[in-house]
Amino acid sequence: MSKLYTPAQTVAKSVLIASAAVTLSLIGAKQLGILQSVELGAYDQMLRLRPDETPDSRLLIVGITEGDIQRLKQWPISDRKIAEILQKLDKMQPRAIGLDVLRDVPLGDGREELTKVLQKSDRIIGVCLVTNGSAETPGTPPAPGLPKKRNGYADFGIDPGGVLRRALLFMKPPTIEINSSVEKHICNDDSHVIASFNFLLALRYLEAQGITARTESDQSLWLGKTKITQLGSNDGAYKNVDVRGYQILINYRSRRQVAKQVTLTDVLEGKIDPNLVKDKIVLIGYTTETAKDFFYTPYSAGQDKDQLMFGIVAHAQVVSQILSAVLDDRPLFWFWPKWVEILWISGWSIVGGTLAWRMTHRTHLALAFVATLGVCFTISFGIFMLGGWIPVATPVVALILTGGAIVFNKAGYGKVISAGVKIAFDVVINQTKREEEVKAITETDFFKELQQKKEILKNPKKPPSQQDTAEPQEIVAAEEVSQNAESQSEDYFTQLQQRAQAQKQRGAIDLLSTNSQTDIPVDAHNSNSPAETLPDDKLSQMQAKARQRRERRDAAKRIEDQKSHDLPEKED
């Protein structure tokens, strides 16, 4: 058991250490907002993968299209035409009519007619635009004739990148500049809270069914038995997002058709079924890019066309979301507590580290990682379908990083890198020590004296001094000594040659003397005897042979020199 326990303990220790390091790093990056864009991208992708729901039968959109503008020969649509369409729709008895068309100033003729229609009907909800607190953008007031309780703002909360993901149900307008001379209206008066255009339309529909809005002591909003959860500044993937007022995430119903849609001309010409209007919410607004009333949404990514969602359609999405949450139990988005998110990320990090430690075959490991990532995304998407927005990209990154760290450590690269770092530190330390030693040497008097002598030798034109005269004398003496050494070596070589020749002569004489003792008697006192003349002849022969050999060598050397002289010189 001890043999099995020790490796298992080592594995667990390595995986847990790597998982803790990766998890803490990712949580820190998430707190800094580094992973916000990645998680928002994952949110958008899951929203696109989710199947579209059927159009909401409680809504009807009357779109003012480019074709309507061309047929009516009006831009913008005049007050008279707006009054006419409101009268026709009011006769069909809808629960509410939402007019998402700004009428703060007269447009064309029929201003009085429009004012009378707005005052007479209690079904019409108008719009205004909220100020941002500056005198240059004081907001847009509502159409005249509508009471304050039937006016809502048309503003949305826009995320970085211009994507529409959040809706503001009610808010208090920002405080406008003190010395501003702009006219006060409902959308720039910070003395009271106002509701959004879409929230007022939903409330009007629910009130007919006996459902009213209320707030609890914790400032939460309730519509009947349904709690509308407020979005926090750090919920989901957000980090310090502007959540002034009461905001929710938009739970889009469909990318294509949130509700039945007709044109302005269809209404004016009486071509629509009254049953599409009776007891329904009718929303009127521009559905042409000419009006510049559109937004980018999570559905816009990767689309060649239909990238934009018109403002009136975006309002219909929010109205449908509120009605579906209260009447159909359609879930609103909810979020995990932070400690649960940390456990979720850490768990997938441990899974990645364990897989990397247990599996050695690269192909099997890659397939296991792909399968595990698929499981992680499937679970996240399943929770998203139930209304939960949990981290998706962060656990995937944790799984990959921890697995990569374990593989890296198993391959021994970690030890190599640590050894390399240690060597690098040693080199730096040794280099520092050497620099200190060199500095100590260069500060000595001896080194300074050597530097002075160096400068003197580099500049011979300087006036002669005692050191200047002394050093050339030493150099001349050295040259004389070298010349004497060369001449002595030449004399010594000549003496060696003479000694060698004398040695050869003595050897020849000794040989002849030996022969004469055995064969021929020698008379030492007679200089004319054969014993005296024979050695001379032998010696002469030997000298002649030696001379011939030297001549042959000299001739061969001259031939070689001549050949080398005749060869062409190599080009540089």
Side-chain angles (χ1 to χ4, degrees):
M1 290 297 293
S2 61
K3 292 181 179 179
L4 296 175
Y5 176 74
T6 302
Q9 186 182 24
T10 303
V11 172
K13 184 178 179 181
S14 300
V15 172
L16 290 177
I17 291 175
S19 174
V22 171
T23 302
L24 292 176
S25 300
L26 291 177
I27 293 300
K30 193 172 183 294
Q31 290 298 317
L32 295 175
I34 298 174
L35 299 175
Q36 175 176 295
S37 60
V38 180
E39 287 290 355
L40 288 177
Y43 168 86
D44 294 346
Q45 182 62 44
M46 289 191 295
L47 203 62
R48 292 191 293 269
L49 292 175
R50 192 176 63 176
D52 290 347
E53 299 179 35
T54 58
D56 196 330
S57 60
R58 294 167 295 221
L59 307 180
L60 175 67
I61 298 175
V62 178
I64 304 175
T65 65
E66 188 67 28
D68 295 328
I69 296 172
Q70 297 298 326
R71 282 189 289 270
L72 296 175
K73 306 297 182 184
Q74 293 182 5
W75 174 251
I77 302 300
S78 66
D79 291 341
R80 175 166 285 119
K81 288 297 180 182
I82 295 297
E84 182 179 352
I85 193 173
L86 289 175
Q87 288 175 333
K88 287 182 176 292
L89 290 172
D90 190 63
K91 290 179 182 179
M92 298 179 191
Q93 299 179 349
R95 289 196 186 181
I97 300 174
L99 181 62
D100 186 22
V101 178
L102 294 172
R103 293 287 125 169
D104 55 314
V105 295
L107 293 173
D109 53 0
R111 185 66 171 182
E112 294 181 0
E113 297 176 20
L114 177 60
T115 303
K116 290 180 181 180
V117 172
L118 295 177
Q119 291 174 343
K120 182 179 179 181
S121 176
D122 61 350
R123 296 187 177 97
I124 301 173
I125 306 295
V127 294
C128 59
L129 296 179
V130 177
T131 178
N132 64 0
S134 65
E136 289 74 18
T137 53
T140 303
L146 279 174
K148 290 184 177 180
K149 65 178 182 179
R150 289 198 282 121
N151 277 294
Y153 58 84
D155 303 80
F156 283 99
I158 306 299
D159 285 339
V163 180
L164 177 61
R165 300 187 183 94
R166 295 175 286 125
L168 290 82
L169 300 186
F170 53 85
M171 63 179 293
K172 181 182 287 187
T175 303
I176 204 164
E177 294 178 354
I178 298 176
N179 296 326
S180 175
S181 60
V182 299
E183 181 183 355
K184 282 284 185 178
H185 56 81
I186 186 176
C187 278
N188 63 13
D189 187 0
D190 60 345
S191 63
H192 63 281
V193 175
I194 60 175
S196 66
F197 172 69
N198 44 59
F199 188 51
L200 285 178
L201 289 173
L203 289 178
R204 178 60 64 91
Y205 188 92
L206 294 173
E207 285 172 359
Q209 297 188 216
I211 300 174
T212 58
R214 72 181 190 277
T215 56
E216 299 292 343
S217 57
D218 60 352
Q219 302 301 316
S220 60
L221 174 65
W222 290 80
L223 295 175
K225 297 180 180 180
T226 303
K227 180 181 180 181
I228 308 299
T229 304
Q230 183 180 7
L231 179 68
S233 60
N234 295 316
D235 283 343
Y238 285 116
K239 180 61 181 176
N240 296 330
V241 68
D242 181 10
V243 289
R244 58 179 175 173
Y246 205 98
Q247 298 188 27
I248 61 172
L249 276 177
I250 300 177
N251 192 1
Y252 287 92
R253 187 180 188 92
S254 172
R255 76 184 74 189
R256 296 179 180 88
Q257 192 175 15
V258 62
K260 178 70 176 179
Q261 187 168 333
V262 297
T263 66
L264 180 66
T265 306
D266 293 336
V267 177
L268 292 175
E269 296 178 355
K271 295 181 179 181
I272 64 171
D273 184 358
N275 293 325
L276 294 176
V277 179
K278 186 176 177 59
D279 291 331
K280 307 295 176 61
I281 297 176
V282 181
L283 297 97
I284 306 171
Y286 287 102
T287 56
T288 173
E289 296 184 10
T290 305
K292 305 298 181 183
D293 183 17
F294 47 73
F295 301 95
Y296 288 100
T297 68
Y299 299 115
S300 300
Q303 297 292 326
D304 295 331
K305 58 181 181 179
D306 299 330
Q307 292 184 349
L308 304 173
M309 181 175 290
F310 295 107
I312 192 64
V313 179
H315 286 297
Q317 296 276 6
V318 179
V319 174
S320 176
Q321 175 182 357
I322 296 173
L323 296 181
S324 298
V326 177
L327 302 176
D328 304 333
D329 293 328
R330 185 171 181 257
L332 296 167
F333 280 113
W334 48 269
F335 315 95
W336 275 346
K338 295 302 177 184
W339 65 270
V340 179
E341 290 186 356
I342 294 175
L343 291 179
W344 169 255
I345 296 170
S346 178
W348 286 108
S349 178
I350 293 174
V351 169
T354 305
L355 285 176
W357 190 273
R358 292 291 184 184
M359 305 187 72
T360 57
H361 196 279
R362 294 182 179 179
T363 303
H364 295 168
L365 179 61
L367 293 175
F369 262 72
V370 171
T372 306
L373 293 176
V375 172
C376 178
F377 182 80
T378 301
I379 296 174
S380 302
F381 184 68
I383 296 175
F384 186 80
M385 291 292 291
L386 299 175
W389 184 20
I390 64 174
V392 180
T394 306
V396 169
V397 174
L399 188 148
I400 295 174
L401 289 181
T402 306
I406 295 299
V407 171
F408 193 79
N409 187 47
K410 284 174 60 179
Y413 295 118
K415 295 181 180 180
V416 173
I417 292 176
S418 61
V421 172
K422 183 178 179 181
I423 293 173
F425 275 110
D426 292 341
V427 170
V428 172
I429 293 172
N430 294 334
Q431 182 66 24
T432 304
K433 290 182 179 179
R434 282 194 291 270
E435 290 178 355
E436 292 177 354
E437 293 175 356
V438 170
K439 183 178 180 181
I441 293 173
T442 55
E443 291 177 354
T444 59
D445 295 337
F446 177 73
F447 184 81
K448 292 178 180 179
E449 183 178 353
L450 290 178
Q451 290 293 105
Q452 292 177 358
K453 291 182 178 180
K454 178 181 177 182
E455 293 297 328
I456 291 172
L457 293 176
K458 284 185 177 180
N459 301 291
K461 295 182 179 181
K462 295 174 66 175
S465 61
Q466 293 179 358
Q467 294 178 352
D468 295 339
T469 56
E471 290 181 359
Q473 290 177 0
E474 294 177 358
I475 294 172
V476 171
E479 291 179 354
E480 291 177 355
V481 170
S482 63
Q483 291 177 0
N484 293 335
E486 291 178 358
S487 61
Q488 290 177 2
S489 62
E490 292 178 358
D491 295 340
Y492 181 70
F493 183 72
T494 304
Q495 293 176 5
L496 288 176
Q497 288 181 339
Q498 292 177 356
R499 291 179 182 177
Q501 186 175 2
Q503 185 68 26
K504 291 179 180 180
Q505 292 177 358
R506 284 195 296 271
I509 294 173
D510 293 337
L511 179 62
L512 292 176
S513 301
T514 305
N515 293 333
S516 62
Q517 289 176 2
T518 56
D519 299 331
I520 303 172
V522 178
D523 188 358
H525 299 283
N526 190 2
S527 60
N528 295 325
S529 64
E532 185 177 354
T533 58
L534 184 60
D536 292 335
D537 294 336
K538 292 286 185 180
L539 181 60
S540 298
Q541 292 177 0
M542 293 176 64
Q543 290 178 347
K545 291 179 179 180
R547 222 174 7 256
Q548 291 175 359
R549 285 196 297 269
R550 284 196 300 272
E551 289 175 356
R552 285 196 296 270
R553 283 197 301 270
D554 293 338
K557 184 177 181 181
R558 283 195 299 272
I559 292 171
E560 291 295 328
D561 293 339
Q562 185 65 30
K563 288 181 179 180
S564 63
H565 179 73
D566 294 337
L567 290 174
E569 295 181 357
K570 295 183 179 180
E571 295 181 359
D572 294 333

